[in-house]
Amino acid sequence: MIAWLWLRAHRWPTLLATSCAVAVVGVVFGGDHVPIPSLSSARQMSVPLGQLLPLILACAIGSHSRQPTSLFRVTPRLPYVHRAAVAGVLLITAAAATLLVPNMMTALRNTLGLTGMALVTAVAVGATRSWTLPLFYLMCCLLFGTRIRATANGESGPQWWAFAIADQSDRTATTLAILVCLLGLVLFVIFGAKEEAAVRE
């Protein structure tokens, strides 16, 4: 009962519903390829929709990262332990949604990386605006993240920093996403989401 109340205080059922919805969309449409808009006709590339769905999960985690009530600031518990538990539950819930998405490892990688960005933004400007950096980054990946590989057929590929549109086999993308996720988790555990006066408790 205490655990359930704790989960409800952090609006976990809402995140669970969002994750389930993403999983359903991923199962049905996750394998469909989305053409990436490019500023150059020489850079043609497409990615599966399941590779872009983690943006929704990351934004949901960011919005759930704030403390739900003032009670959590006065109870005698270590804030670091509490924040680590919150981050762990939120991330595991969202990551579970990627298990049914085609190309699961790529979706999981993007969930980790974009979640790290959302948590960094939550620490810097607050949970309600935590979606801004992941969305901005993904748009940059789609618009500017493709390059022409040095191949005979002129095949397009992602820039080194655009892990969100990289293939599953791209180790640089996986490493970058994990590092960004760890950075976001560490900052969130140490500082927590920035308090916002506009948010009513």
Side-chain angles (χ1 to χ4, degrees):
M1 180 60 68
I2 295 177
W4 174 245
L5 291 176
W6 183 82
L7 290 172
R8 287 193 61 185
H10 287 279
R11 298 173 297 144
W12 178 78
T14 305
L15 177 63
L16 179 62
T18 302
S19 300
C20 290
V22 169
V24 171
V25 173
V27 169
V28 179
F29 303 106
D32 296 345
H33 278 67
V34 178
I36 296 179
S38 176
L39 302 179
S40 170
S41 60
R43 300 180 178 182
Q44 299 297 325
M45 189 176 173
S46 64
V47 296
L49 178 62
Q51 204 164 327
L52 306 178
L53 290 176
L55 174 66
I56 300 174
L57 299 174
C59 293
I61 290 177
S63 67
H64 285 73
S65 63
R66 68 180 177 89
Q67 295 186 100
T69 65
S70 58
L71 177 64
F72 285 83
R73 292 192 290 271
V74 298
T75 51
R77 65 165 61 88
L78 291 175
Y80 310 114
V81 176
H82 172 70
R83 292 173 192 149
V86 170
V89 169
L90 297 180
L91 189 57
I92 290 172
T93 302
T98 65
L99 298 179
L100 300 177
V101 177
N103 205 356
M104 175 191 70
M105 295 307 297
T106 305
L108 178 60
R109 179 200 68 201
N110 288 356
T111 300
L112 294 177
L114 294 174
T115 295
M117 294 183 181
L119 291 177
V120 169
T121 312
V123 172
V125 297
T128 59
R129 292 184 287 273
S130 61
W131 55 270
T132 53
L133 180 58
L135 178 61
F136 176 76
Y137 169 78
L138 186 59
M139 294 304 298
C140 287
C141 288
L142 295 177
L143 293 175
F144 310 109
T146 56
R147 64 176 173 81
I148 300 177
R149 289 178 177 168
T151 59
N153 58 3
E155 182 184 1
S156 295
Q159 300 280 0
W160 68 269
W161 51 267
F163 68 79
I165 60 173
D167 295 332
Q168 178 178 337
S169 59
D170 194 327
R171 294 183 179 179
T172 301
T174 301
T175 302
L176 181 59
I178 292 175
L179 290 176
V180 172
C181 182
L182 291 176
L183 174 63
L185 289 173
V186 169
L187 290 176
F188 176 73
V189 169
I190 294 176
F191 301 105
K194 182 178 179 181
E195 293 190 30
E196 300 169 90
V199 176
R200 294 183 179 179
E201 298 181 345

